[in-house]
C-alpha cells in the first residue's frame, strides 16, 4: 500500500529533472518533498499524478502499477500551487466538478459539496466566484475540490507558496489536523524546511533531480547524510572539515586546546535569541547562537576577542561527493546520500 | 487542452490541408500565372508605364499616409491614455470604426464629405489627395491600437525618475517615452503600410480609377477586366512580395520589442500579428517557480 | 494657463479634431444623406427584390464563413499554443497572410484557380460545379479574407489561461472532451467571441475580393457592399446610401459588441 516510485528518470530538453529517483511513501502518511528550486520535487509529484510522463521508471499506487494510467484513472487528488481554480465556476461548482464528471445525482453532489465546504470552513461562500475569495480561501477550495472525489492519495504542489506568512502558518496547522482526520496518504512539495518539519511526518530531501536523504525531521536534523542536507534543514557553520550548528557553538573567554580564537564582529539581538558573529584568524565568518542570559554572563562586546568551542560537529569525509556542493556521505544508519538511494521513508 | 499524440498529428494535417486549399493554392496560382510567359514577360508587365505609375502612386501615397498615421496615431493614443475628458470611452470605441465599416461605405461617404457636394466646401474627389485621405481612414486604428497598450503599461515612475534627474518635458518624451513606444509604433506603421498598399474599396468611389489616381489594386482590377491575366498577376506578385516583407518585419519588430521582457504583441487589437507562438512555447521547466 | 495645460489642450484639439473630420463626420453624414429626400427612397431601394437578395446573400456569407473559420481558428490555436512543433512558425506566418494581402489579389488568386483556364476550373466545370461567379467562390473569398481573426484572438487567451485548470480537471477525472467543453472553452469564450465579431464584420463588409469572384450579378451574386457600388454606378444615390446605412448600423453594432466583449475579458 502507499506510493512507490522506482528508478524514475525525466528529462526536459537538456535539463535532467529526475535522475533515477526511488521513494516509497507508507499508506496513510503525511510526507514532504523538500528541496530548492529545480531540485525535481514538483516533477516527481506531477509524475505520481500522471501529469508528467516518465522517460523510464515505475509509479505504483496502492499496489497497482499506475505508470501507464492517465491522470483520470490514478485516483489522485492534486492541489496546484496557484490553485488552478475554475474561474468561470462558483465555489460550489468547483468543488462539485469531479462528482459531476462521475455523474453523481444533484442532491448527492449538493450534500457532499456542503460537507466538504464545512470541513474547509467555506460553507457560507458556496455561491461566490474564485475571484471573490482571498488566497487562503481559494487554496482551501482547491483542497476541497481535490478531496471531493475521495482520492486514494492527496498530492499538494507548494500548497502555501503563494500565501502570506500569517495565512501560511494557519493553513499548515489546519492541514495537519485535516490529515489526522482523513488519513489519506498525502505528499506535499515545499522549499521551506520549517514548513516541511512543522507539517510532515516524513521528509524526502531532493537536490539536482536526486534524493539526498529521507527520514523524520529529527533524523535529518540530527543525522544529516551530507553537507547539503545539513545546511538545507538548518543553519550551519563550517570550521575546516567540520560542520557545526550555531547553537552547538560554545563561546568561552578562556582558550584551551579545543578552542579557536575569534573576533566578535557584531551582536544582533533577535528577541530571546542572540546572534553573535565572529571572524576567525583565517578570515572565516561564523556565528554562534546564544541566549540572552549567556550573553549577559559573558559580557561580550563588539570588537573583543573570544574563543569558540564546538560542542557537536559533523564531518562528511568518505566516498566521493554526490552533489556539486562537495558534500559527501558519512557512514550512517540511513546509508543515505548516495546518488541512487532507495529512500525508504 | 492537449490532444493526444495522434490527434495532434491529425490536427496538423487538417490545418495544413485547410491552409493549402484556402490560402496557399490560390496564391500559387497567381505566381504561376505571372510566370506564364517567363521572366521576361513578367518583367515587361511589371515595368509597363501604367503598372509603374500605379505602383509609384501606391507607394508614395502609402508612405505619406504612414507618416501622418505615426504622428496622429501617437497623439490619439496619448490623449486616450494620459488625458481625461468627457466621452473618452466613446472616442476609444469609435477608433475601431474603420475595421468595422465596409470600405465601400467609407468610400461613398468620404466622397459625399470631401467631393463636389462637400458641406465644408472641400472638393478633392478624384485627386491624389483623395487617395491619401481614403487610406488615412482605413489605416487609422493600426498605430493607435499598437501604441495605446504600451503607453498604458508604461511605468510612470520612469518619467518621475527622469524628472527628478532634471529632465524637462520634451527630453522626457524623447529619451524615456518615445523609445518605449517605438516597437509598437514600428509594428503599427508596418501593418498600416501593408494595408495601404493593397487597399481597394475605400479608394474606388472617392479617388476613382483615373490615370492620375489609379492605385495598384485598381490597376489590377482593370487588367482582369480587360483579360490581361499576366499583367494583373505580375503586379499582384509585386504586392504579394511587399506583404511578405512587411509581415516578416512586424515579427522581427515584435521580437526586438520584447527584448526588455515587455509583454509582446503590443496588443494590436484587431490585427495582432504575433511571433509569440514562436518564442513562448519553449518546454516549460516544470519545477517550482 | 500654464505651459502643460496649454500643451494638453493643444494635443486634445489636434487629436479629437482629426478624429472628427476623418471618422465622425463620415458616420454622421451617412444618416443625413440617406434621408435627404425623405424616408421612402432608401427604404424602397433596400426592400426591392435585388436589395433584399443582397441582404440575404450577405447573411448567408456570414452564416457559412464564420462558423467554418471559428472551428478552424479554435482548433488551430490549440495546436499552436499547446503542442510544440517545429512547423508552428510556418503555420503562424501563413495564417497572418490574409491580413497583409490586397483583397484584389485574393480575388485574382481565386479567379485564376477556379477560372476556365485555372488548375481546378475545368475539372470542376466537367463535374458540373460552378465556383466562379457564384456563391461558392464568394464564400471561399470571404473565408480567405477573414481567416486570421479567431486564431489571433484565441492564441493569447489560451497562453494566458495556461494549463493548470485543464490539468486540475484531468486529475478530477475529466476526459479530453469534457476538459475542452467544461474548462477550456468557457475560459477562452470571450476571446473567441471577439474573434467571431471581427470575422463577421470583415465578411459583412468584404468588397474587393468578392467583387472579382462574384461578377456582381444583380439579384444573384450581389452582396450588400456590391449592391452599394452598383446602385452608385447607376446613379441611384438613395439605394446606395440606404444600403450603406444598413452596413453602417451593422458596423456600429460590431463596435458595441467589441466593447462589451473587451469589458467581459478584463
Amino acid at each position: 500500500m502507499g506510493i512507490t516510485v522506482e528508478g524514475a528518470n525525466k528529462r526536459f530538453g537538456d535539463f535532467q529533472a529526475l535522475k533515477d529517483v526511488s521513494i516509497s511513501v507508507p499508506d496513510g502518511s503525511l510526507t514532504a518533498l523538500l528541496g530548492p528550486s529545480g531540485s525535481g520535487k514538483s516533477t516527481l509529484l506531477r509524475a505520481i499524478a500522471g501529469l508528467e510522463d516518465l522517460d523510464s521508471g515505475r509509479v505504483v499506487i496502492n499496489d497497482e502499477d499506475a505508470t501507464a494510467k492517465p491522470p483520470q484513472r490514478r485516483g489522485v487528488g492534486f492541489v496546484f500551487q496557484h490553485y488552478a481554480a475554475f474561474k468561470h465556476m462558483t465555489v460550489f461548482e468547483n468543488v462539485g466538478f469531479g462528482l459531476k464528471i462521475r455523474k453523481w445525482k444533484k442532491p448527492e453532489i449538493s450534500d457532499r459539496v456542503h460537507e466538504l465546504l464545512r470541513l474547509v470552513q467555506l460553507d457560507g461562500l458556496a455561491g461566490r466566484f474564485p475571484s471573490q475569495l482571498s488566497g487562503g480561501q481559494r487554496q482551501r477550495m482547491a483542497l476541497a475540490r481535490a478531496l471531493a472525489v475521495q482520492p486514494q492519495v492527496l498530492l499538494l504542489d507548494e500548497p502555501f507558496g503563494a500565501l502570506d506568512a500569517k495565512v501560511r502558518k494557519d493553513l499548515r496547522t489546519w492541514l495537519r489536523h485535516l490529515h489526522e482526520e482523513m488519513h489519506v496518504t498525502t505528499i506535499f512539495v515545499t522549499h521551506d524546511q520549517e514548513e516541511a518539519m512543522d507539517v510532515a511526518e516524513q521528509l524526502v530531501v531532493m537536490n539536482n533531480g536526486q534524493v539526498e536523504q529521507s527520514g523524520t525531521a529529527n533524523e535529518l536534523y540530527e543525522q544529516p547524510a551530507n553537507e547539503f542536507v545539513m545546511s538545507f534543514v538548518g543553519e550551519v557553520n563550517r570550521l575546516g572539515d567540520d560542520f557545526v550548528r550555531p547553537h552547538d557553538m560554545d563561546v568561552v573567554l578562556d582558550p584551551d586546546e579545543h578552542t579557536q580564537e575569534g573576533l566578535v564582529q557584531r551582536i544582533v539581538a533577535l528577541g530571546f535569541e542572540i546572534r553573535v558573529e565572529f571572524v576567525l584568524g583565517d578570515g572565516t565568518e561564523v556565528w554562534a547562537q546564544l541566549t540572552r542570559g549567556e550573553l549577559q554572563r559573558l559580557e561580550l562586546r563588539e570588537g573583543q576577542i573570544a574563543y569558540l568551542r564546538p560542542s557537536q560537529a559533523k564531518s562528511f569525509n568518505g566516498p566521493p561527493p554526490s552533489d556539486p556542493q562537495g558534500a559527501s556521505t558519512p557512514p550512517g544508519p540511513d546509508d543515505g546520500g548516495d546518488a541512487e538511494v532507495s529512500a525508504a521513508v | 487542452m492537449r490532444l493526444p499524440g495522434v490527434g495532434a498529428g491529425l490536427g496538423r494535417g487538417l490545418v495544413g490541408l485547410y491552409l493549402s486549399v484556402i490560402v496557399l493554392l490560390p496564391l500559387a496560382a497567381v505566381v504561376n500565372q505571372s510566370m506564364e510567359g517567363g521572366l521576361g514577360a513578367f518583367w515587361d508587365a511589371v515595368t509597363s508605364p501604367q503598372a509603374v505609375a500605379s505602383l509609384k502612386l501606391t507607394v508614395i501615397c502609402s508612405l505619406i499616409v504612414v507618416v501622418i498615421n505615426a504622428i496622429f496615431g501617437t497623439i490619439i493614443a496619448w490623449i486616450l491614455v494620459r488625458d481625461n475628458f468627457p466621452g473618452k470611452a466613446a472616442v476609444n470605441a469609435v477608433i475601431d470604426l474603420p475595421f468595422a465599416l465596409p470600405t465601400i461605405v467609407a468610400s461613398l461617404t468620404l466622397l459625399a464629405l470631401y467631393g463636389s457636394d462637400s458641406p465644408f466646401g472641400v472638393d478633392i474627389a478624384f485627386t491624389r489627395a483623395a487617395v491619401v485621405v481614403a487610406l488615412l481612414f482605413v489605416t487609422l486604428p493600426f498605430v493607435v491600437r499598437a501604441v495605446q497598450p504600451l503607453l498604458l503599461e508604461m511605468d510612470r515612475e520612469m518619467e518621475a525618475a527622469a524628472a527628478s534627474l532634471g529632465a524637462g518635458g520634451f527630453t522626457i518624451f524623447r529619451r524615456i517615452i518615445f523609445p518605449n513606444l517605438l516597437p509598437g509604433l514600428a509594428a503599427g506603421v508596418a501593418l498600416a503600410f501593408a494595408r495601404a498598399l493593397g487597399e481597394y474599396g475605400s479608394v474606388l468611389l472617392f479617388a476613382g480609377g483615373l490615370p492620375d489616381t489609379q492605385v495598384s489594386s485598381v490597376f489590377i482590377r482593370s487588367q482582369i477586366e480587360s483579360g490581361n491575366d499576366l499583367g494583373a498577376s505580375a503586379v499582384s506578385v509585386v504586392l504579394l512580395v511587399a506583404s511578405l516583407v512587411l509581415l516578416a518585419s512586424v515579427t522581427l519588430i515584435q521580437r526586438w520589442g520584447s527584448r526588455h521582457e515587455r509583454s509582446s504583441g503590443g496588443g494590436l487589437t484587431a490585427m495582432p500579428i504575433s511571433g509569440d507562438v514562436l518564442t513562448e512555447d519553449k518546454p516549460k521547466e516544470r519545477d517550482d517557480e | 494657463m500654464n505651459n502643460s495645460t496649454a500643451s494638453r489642450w493643444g494635443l486634445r484639439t489636434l487629436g479629437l479634431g482629426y478624429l472628427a473630420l476623418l471618422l465622425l463626420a463620415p458616420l454622421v453624414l451617412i444618416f443625413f444623406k440617406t434621408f435627404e429626400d425623405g424616408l421612402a427612397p432608401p427604404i424602397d431601394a433596400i426592400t426591392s427584390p435585388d436589395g433584399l437578395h443582397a441582404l440575404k446573400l450577405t447573411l448567408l456569407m456570414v452564416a457559412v464563413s464564420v462558423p467554418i473559420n471559428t472551428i478552424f481558428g479554435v482548433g488551430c490555436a490549440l495546436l499552436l499554443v499547446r503542442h510544440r512543433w517545429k512547423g508552428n512558425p510556418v503555420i503562424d506566418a501563413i495564417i497572418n497572410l490574409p491580413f497583409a494581402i490586397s483583397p484584389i489579389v485574393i480575388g485574382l488568386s481565386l479567379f485564376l484557380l477556379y477560372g476556365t483556364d485555372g488548375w481546378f476550373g475545368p475539372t470542376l466545370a466537367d463535374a458540373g460545379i460552378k465556383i466562379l461567379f457564384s456563391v461558392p467562390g464568394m464564400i471561399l473569398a470571404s473565408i480567405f479574407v477573414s481567416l486570421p481573426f479567431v486564431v489571433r484572438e484565441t492564441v493569447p487567451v489560451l497562453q494566458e489561461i495556461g494549463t493548470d485548470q485543464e490539468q486540475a480537471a484531468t486529475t478530477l477525472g475529466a476526459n479530453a472532451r469534457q476538459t475542452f467543453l467544461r474548462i477550456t472553452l468557457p475560459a477562452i469564450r470571450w476571446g473567441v467571441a471577439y474573434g467571431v465579431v471581427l470575422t463577421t464584420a470583415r465578411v459583412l463588409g468584404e468588397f474587393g475580393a468578392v467583387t472579382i469572384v462574384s461578377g456582381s450579378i444583380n439579384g444573384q451574386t450581389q452582396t450588400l457592399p456590391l449592391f452599394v457600388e452598383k446602385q452608385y454606378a447607376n446613379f441611384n444615390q438613395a439605394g446606395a446610401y440606404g444600403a450603406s446605412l444598413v452596413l453602417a448600423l451593422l458596423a456600429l453594432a460590431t463596435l458595441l459588441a467589441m466593447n462589451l466583449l473587451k469589458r467581459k475579458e478584463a
Side-chain angles (χ1 to χ4, degrees):
Chain A
M1 295 293 272
I3 302 166
T4 313
V5 176
E6 292 165 9
N9 279 293
K10 177 71 186 176
R11 178 177 273 284
F12 296 105
D14 293 337
F15 178 72
Q16 179 105 37
L18 295 177
K19 295 177 207 158
D20 203 13
V21 169
S22 299
I23 64 166
S24 93
V25 174
D27 197 35
S29 72
L30 176 50
T31 299
L33 291 181
L34 176 64
S37 288
S39 61
K41 55 192 192 302
S42 286
T43 307
L44 180 58
L45 194 78
R46 296 173 59 85
I48 295 171
L51 294 173
E52 218 69 78
D53 289 330
L54 289 174
D55 298 337
S56 65
R58 247 158 56 93
V59 175
V60 180
I61 298 173
N62 288 349
D63 299 332
E64 256 186 83
D65 190 338
T67 317
K69 278 191 192 173
Q72 290 93 336
R73 301 204 288 115
R74 292 199 183 193
V76 298
F78 200 100
V79 177
F80 292 78
Q81 179 176 6
H82 298 288
Y83 328 119
F86 302 144
K87 293 189 185 104
H88 59 288
M89 298 183 192
T90 61
V91 170
F92 183 94
E93 288 164 338
N94 262 280
V95 177
F97 181 84
L99 303 174
K100 210 168 165 190
I101 292 292
R102 283 165 178 72
K103 304 225 171 357
W104 279 35
K105 297 219 164 54
K106 268 194 180 156
E108 289 163 14
I109 294 181
S110 176
D111 288 350
R112 175 90 178 125
V113 170
H114 282 294
E115 180 193 326
L116 279 157
L117 289 179
R118 270 193 297 281
L119 184 73
V120 299
Q121 297 153 10
L122 286 176
D123 207 18
L125 308 177
R128 293 222 187 153
F129 284 95
S131 58
Q132 298 166 302
L133 301 180
S134 72
Q137 289 170 331
R138 259 181 249 181
Q139 192 57 296
R140 297 209 305 268
M141 178 194 84
L143 200 56
R145 185 176 70 183
L147 289 172
V149 296
Q150 285 169 311
Q152 301 176 34
V153 296
L154 183 60
L155 308 173
L156 303 98
D157 189 4
E158 297 264 2
F160 315 127
L163 302 170
D164 61 51
K166 171 82 179 76
V167 184
R168 270 176 101 105
K169 272 211 156 117
D170 291 349
L171 272 182
R172 232 143 86 172
T173 318
W174 182 82
L175 175 66
R176 213 173 46 229
H177 290 316
L178 189 79
H179 180 257
E180 280 160 18
E181 257 177 72
M182 315 259 311
H183 272 295
V184 53
T185 312
T186 304
I187 304 181
F188 78 101
V189 158
T190 179
H191 62 263
D192 179 343
Q193 52 90 18
E194 192 195 323
E195 183 170 288
M197 291 177 145
D198 182 11
V199 180
E201 300 159 351
Q202 308 285 343
L203 287 79
V204 177
V205 180
M206 293 189 69
N207 187 32
N208 289 318
Q210 295 171 322
V211 174
E212 296 285 352
Q213 190 179 2
S214 53
T216 64
N218 223 15
E219 282 165 5
L220 296 181
Y221 195 81
E222 299 294 337
Q223 291 142 19
N226 53 40
E227 186 195 347
F228 176 81
V229 175
M230 179 152 188
S231 56
F232 200 74
V233 300
E235 301 278 1
V236 70
N237 287 309
R238 185 168 188 159
L239 290 169
D241 285 342
D242 288 344
F243 295 89
V244 186
R245 298 262 186 235
H247 54 72
D248 291 335
M249 203 68 115
D250 289 349
V251 181
V252 293
L253 296 175
D254 302 312
D256 61 36
E257 68 266 33
H258 300 296
T259 60
Q260 282 196 48
E261 189 183 88
L263 172 70
V264 178
Q265 212 175 22
R266 212 160 85 93
I267 299 175
V268 190
L270 303 159
F272 173 73
E273 172 196 324
I274 310 289
R275 180 186 169 103
V276 185
E277 296 173 11
F278 292 90
V279 188
L280 304 184
D282 59 1
T284 318
E285 296 187 0
V286 299
W287 63 280
Q289 188 187 331
L290 305 181
T291 65
R292 194 163 277 277
E294 282 169 325
L295 183 75
Q296 275 164 5
R297 189 171 45 77
L298 291 163
E299 293 180 327
L300 286 182
R301 292 278 174 280
E302 286 176 7
Q304 84 171 72
I305 298 289
Y307 300 91
L308 292 159
R309 181 173 52 207
S311 61
Q312 211 183 348
K314 285 226 173 300
S315 67
F316 303 102
N317 292 322
S322 70
D323 69 353
Q325 263 96 352
S328 44
T329 319
D334 245 322
D335 197 25
D338 195 321
E340 272 127 62
V341 68
S342 172
V345 178
Chain B
M1 185 197 65
R2 280 188 65 87
L3 300 161
V6 184
L10 186 68
R12 276 180 205 125
L14 287 173
V15 165
L17 185 69
Y18 187 81
L19 290 178
S20 301
V21 171
I22 299 293
V23 178
L24 294 179
L25 273 172
L27 295 182
V30 175
V31 176
N32 181 58
Q33 175 67 47
S34 74
M35 292 297 162
E36 199 86 302
L39 266 181
F42 171 82
W43 188 246
D44 289 346
V46 172
T47 51
S48 78
Q50 260 192 311
V52 170
S54 83
L55 284 168
K56 227 162 114 182
L57 177 72
T58 309
V59 171
I60 291 171
C61 287
S62 299
L63 282 174
I64 295 171
V65 162
V66 293
V67 169
I68 298 176
N69 259 322
I71 297 166
F72 278 93
T74 308
I75 291 175
I76 292 165
W78 179 270
I79 60 174
L80 285 176
V81 174
R82 294 293 176 89
D83 201 354
N84 247 323
F85 50 90
K88 194 169 108 168
V91 173
N92 185 34
V94 99
I95 297 291
D96 291 323
L97 181 71
F99 284 157
L101 192 72
T103 51
I104 193 72
V105 177
S107 199
L108 186 68
T109 52
L110 285 174
L111 178 64
L113 201 58
Y114 301 114
S116 52
D117 288 346
S118 171
F120 305 135
V122 182
D123 182 7
I124 54 167
F126 314 116
T127 67
R128 290 175 174 178
V131 175
V132 171
V133 171
L135 296 182
L136 281 177
F137 179 88
V138 295
T139 57
L140 173 91
F142 289 101
V143 170
V144 180
R145 291 308 190 209
V147 169
Q148 202 177 2
L150 294 183
L151 210 47
L152 211 55
E153 274 172 30
M154 197 182 293
D155 185 2
R156 298 288 297 262
E157 293 194 348
M158 280 194 308
E159 291 158 55
S164 75
L165 294 167
F170 182 70
T171 311
I172 292 177
F173 182 80
R174 196 168 58 93
R175 292 291 183 85
I176 308 293
I177 300 173
F178 185 72
N180 279 289
L181 299 184
L182 197 56
L185 190 60
V189 161
L191 285 170
F193 195 62
R195 174 72 199 255
L197 285 181
E199 181 52 28
Y200 177 70
S202 66
V203 180
L204 188 64
L205 302 183
F206 187 27
L210 305 177
D212 235 18
T213 60
Q214 196 175 51
V215 293
S216 294
S217 57
V218 176
F219 171 76
I220 294 169
R221 167 101 199 252
S222 75
Q223 295 303 300
I224 298 171
E225 280 175 347
S226 58
N228 180 5
D229 286 357
L230 176 62
S233 307
V235 175
S236 292
V237 167
V238 174
L239 290 186
L240 208 54
V241 170
S243 309
L244 289 175
V245 170
L246 286 166
L247 274 182
S249 69
V250 172
T251 307
L252 290 178
I253 290 166
Q254 281 178 339
R255 215 171 291 171
W256 165 70
S258 57
R259 73 200 186 285
H260 304 308
E261 287 181 282
R262 208 181 297 104
S263 74
S264 66
L268 304 177
T269 316
M271 289 217 174
I273 307 288
S274 65
D276 46 9
V277 176
L278 328 183
T279 50
E280 282 185 21
D281 202 27
K282 290 191 187 108
K284 294 253 160 55
E285 211 250 269
R286 288 292 354 174
D287 210 272
D288 315 306
E289 305 340 315
Chain C
M1 208 193 239
N2 67 30
N3 206 355
S4 95
T5 17
S7 67
R8 184 145 56 92
W9 276 94
L11 284 179
R12 201 185 277 182
T13 316
L14 211 56
L16 295 181
Y18 183 76
L19 286 179
L21 287 177
L22 201 57
L23 286 192
L24 207 59
L27 195 58
V28 173
L29 195 71
I30 300 175
F31 287 84
F32 276 109
K33 277 284 185 179
T34 307
F35 300 112
E36 218 171 25
D37 302 316
L39 289 173
I43 292 175
D44 288 349
I46 285 296
T47 51
S48 71
D50 285 359
L52 281 179
H53 186 270
L55 182 62
K56 268 188 233 162
L57 189 57
T58 303
L59 296 178
L60 177 71
M61 294 289 121
V62 173
V64 178
S65 316
V66 174
I68 290 178
N69 268 340
T70 304
I71 292 167
F72 165 79
V74 173
C76 190
L78 277 171
L79 271 178
L80 287 175
V81 177
R82 297 279 194 257
H83 296 268
R84 213 164 72 86
W85 185 49
K86 55 184 185 312
N88 278 355
V90 178
I91 293 180
D92 200 53
I94 296 171
I95 286 169
N96 288 334
L97 279 178
F99 275 152
I101 298 179
S102 171
I104 289 293
V105 175
I106 292 173
L108 172 67
S109 71
L110 294 170
F111 178 83
L112 291 174
L113 194 60
Y114 297 104
T116 42
D117 300 331
W119 290 343
F120 296 165
T123 320
L124 289 169
D126 289 346
I129 300 169
K130 197 172 176 219
I131 304 274
L132 221 49
F133 309 125
S134 70
V135 176
M138 298 165 73
I139 288 174
L140 280 174
S142 299
I143 290 177
F144 192 149
V145 297
S146 64
L147 178 106
F149 292 104
V150 173
V151 187
R152 284 280 76 90
E153 294 303 322
T154 308
V155 161
V157 190
L158 268 178
Q159 278 170 339
E160 199 190 305
I161 63 164
T163 51
D164 271 12
Q165 294 184 52
E166 294 167 4
Q167 290 180 350
T170 309
T171 63
L172 292 167
N175 60 30
R177 189 181 56 86
Q178 287 167 323
T179 305
F180 177 71
L181 290 178
R182 288 166 191 258
I183 305 298
T184 315
L185 202 55
I188 63 174
R189 63 189 157 178
W190 301 124
V192 176
Y194 197 84
V196 167
V197 168
L198 295 177
T199 310
T200 307
R202 185 65 208 258
V203 172
L204 279 176
E206 180 47 33
F207 178 74
V210 173
T211 203
I212 303 266
V213 296
S214 72
S216 192
I217 307 160
N218 286 354
Q220 284 182 39
T221 60
Q222 209 167 57
T223 58
L224 270 186
L226 299 180
F227 180 79
V228 170
E229 190 210 8
K230 260 290 169 58
Q231 293 291 309
Y232 177 80
N234 295 340
F235 302 104
N236 182 0
Q237 294 254 352
Y241 279 105
S244 289
L245 183 65
V246 173
L247 288 167
L249 289 176
L250 287 169
L252 287 178
T254 304
L255 288 184
L256 198 65
M258 284 165 74
N259 258 281
L260 290 177
L261 287 170
K262 232 180 258 174
R263 237 166 274 175
K264 286 267 191 194
E265 236 176 318

